[in-house]
Amino acid sequence: QVELAESGGGSVQDGGSLLLSCTASGYMYSGRTLGWFRQAQGKEAEGVAIIDSNGHITYADSVKGRFTISRDSAMRRLSLYMYGLKPEDTAVYYCAADHRGFARESLLQNVQLFQWRGQGTQVTVSS
């Protein structure tokens, strides 16, 4: 069992920045993949950024060049630095983990594949 806890959400103005953090506890397989996804009110969940155990990263096109995902070497702390935020980035952001070796692109396109997710943290960007 893996437990994930996000922090760092909040409200910012258009063009602002935020740093989201996620702490993982419990059993963590060395080959795990971690990521962030978001869900805006009334919309389907959307993959944002994925990082695997080799440090390879995939971003959604909508956040490329604006968001940066990173993790510590133990893969127990995951971060998402977001800058140049836009109102359309407003959503609940979730940290997620998977141990089954799905391709990063698969997880990005189908966040339901993640085995575990946190409770989420709200990000609101106002114009």
Side-chain angles (χ1 to χ4, degrees):
Q1 183 68 25
V2 174
E3 294 185 356
L4 302 167
E6 304 94 341
S7 61
S11 298
V12 296
Q13 295 287 324
D14 191 354
S17 61
L18 280 173
L19 174 64
L20 303 184
S21 297
C22 173
T23 301
S25 58
Y27 174 70
M28 293 297 283
Y29 170 55
S30 61
R32 58 193 168 274
T33 299
L34 301 175
W36 294 92
F37 69 91
R38 65 188 181 187
Q39 188 162 21
Q41 192 170 6
K43 296 186 178 181
E44 292 189 0
E46 172 191 24
V48 174
I50 311 294
I51 184 167
D52 65 20
S53 57
N54 294 315
H56 299 140
I57 295 170
T58 299
Y59 291 102
D61 288 342
S62 59
V63 306
K64 279 182 183 176
R66 299 188 299 120
F67 290 12
T68 300
I69 188 172
S70 63
R71 58 164 175 80
D72 67 352
S73 58
M75 295 193 77
R76 288 200 175 267
R77 189 167 181 85
L78 184 69
S79 298
L80 185 68
Y81 182 60
M82 308 182 293
Y83 57 95
L85 284 162
K86 307 174 182 179
E88 51 264 43
D89 294 317
T90 295
V92 178
Y93 283 71
Y94 297 88
C95 170
D98 190 81
H99 289 181
R100 294 170 294 181
F102 288 113
R104 299 188 308 278
E105 292 73 13
S106 296
L107 291 167
L108 193 73
Q109 295 300 319
N110 187 4
V111 301
Q112 303 303 324
L113 292 174
F114 279 108
Q115 289 177 282
W116 300 282
R117 63 188 61 187
Q119 293 297 311
T121 184
Q122 176 71 44
V123 171
T124 303
V125 185
S126 56
S127 57

